[in-house]
Amino acid sequence: MDWQTLATRLFGAGHGITRDGDFLHGTVEFDGEPLSVIGTTAHASIGVALALAQARAVLDTLAHHPGRSILLLIDTQGQQLRRRDELLGINRAMAHLGMCIDLARRRGHRVLGLVYDQALSGGFITSGLIADACDALPEAEIRVMRLPAMARVTKLPEALLAQLSESNPVFAPGVANYVAMGGVRRLWDGDLAQALRAALADAPTQDRRAEDGAARGGRRLAAGIVQRVLDAA
């Protein structure tokens, strides 16, 4: 779904969201309350400039609108693979974006991610996966690493990873697998405005991704390991 159609279905034709290149931003009225919308479109590659633009929008909300909810609209192919961005410190810019989102959560802002098209790699990790919760449209495409790249990193044969992906969602792309792992809380279908209303009302007070993954059978050990670490601290 393109961002204009999504915005219209969520907030009406006069939604007030602006597109600057691949950067989406604006303030909308939803159920009589202002909501900050920050995101990307056109399968954006997240370079230094785009990461810092999103971070600036988050910080502006913190500074001028304490407590206001934030909706992250996610459509990204991951980080910008250019020498210029690497030299400028894309890793630090993306980490800064993630830290700004985390700060917003700590300051009492409800932060909700919505993958409406594509979510890949670091562009997803430093946005939707840091939000209080991340939801998705059923037709969204989500993955962190393709199997060929995973094979190069892990030194495991690609054929073995392909076999593992058939039974273990950790190795497999696809929105259903991210629901099973707890990375995506729920899918939105039908009345999208009502789905947003329910998502904002159900914003968790703590990260439940590991618990959801265990309950859904997609990530059975993470929650227990996390608790053992916390108990040992």
Side-chain angles (χ1 to χ4, degrees), residues 101-159:
I101 294 172
D102 180 63
L103 178 62
R105 295 175 60 193
R106 293 174 186 270
R107 293 281 180 85
H109 296 258
R110 289 177 296 176
V111 184
L112 177 66
L114 175 64
V115 181
Y116 69 97
D117 195 326
Q118 180 175 270
L120 275 64
S121 190
F124 180 40
I125 293 171
T126 55
S127 56
L129 289 183
I130 296 182
D132 289 310
C134 187
D135 297 342
L137 300 187
E139 64 270 23
E141 177 186 1
I142 304 177
R143 63 175 182 272
V144 171
M145 187 177 290
R146 295 178 185 271
L147 290 182
M150 193 181 298
R152 290 194 296 270
V153 171
T154 63
K155 310 303 181 185
L156 294 174
E158 185 178 341

Side-chain angles (χ1 to χ4, degrees), residues 61-113:
T61 299
L62 268 70
H64 303 297
H65 309 287
R68 176 185 289 181
S69 297
I70 300 172
L71 175 63
L72 305 174
L73 298 181
I74 301 163
D75 176 20
T76 174
Q77 59 181 285
Q79 63 267 34
Q80 177 71 264
L81 301 178
R82 294 196 307 188
R83 180 176 175 80
R84 174 182 180 276
D85 288 275
E86 294 291 343
L87 291 173
L88 289 173
I90 180 60
N91 58 319
R92 296 178 66 182
M94 295 184 76
H96 174 62
L97 171 58
M99 291 171 68
C100 290
I101 294 172
D102 180 63
L103 178 62
R105 295 175 60 193
R106 293 174 186 270
R107 293 281 180 85
H109 296 258
R110 289 177 296 176
V111 184
L112 177 66

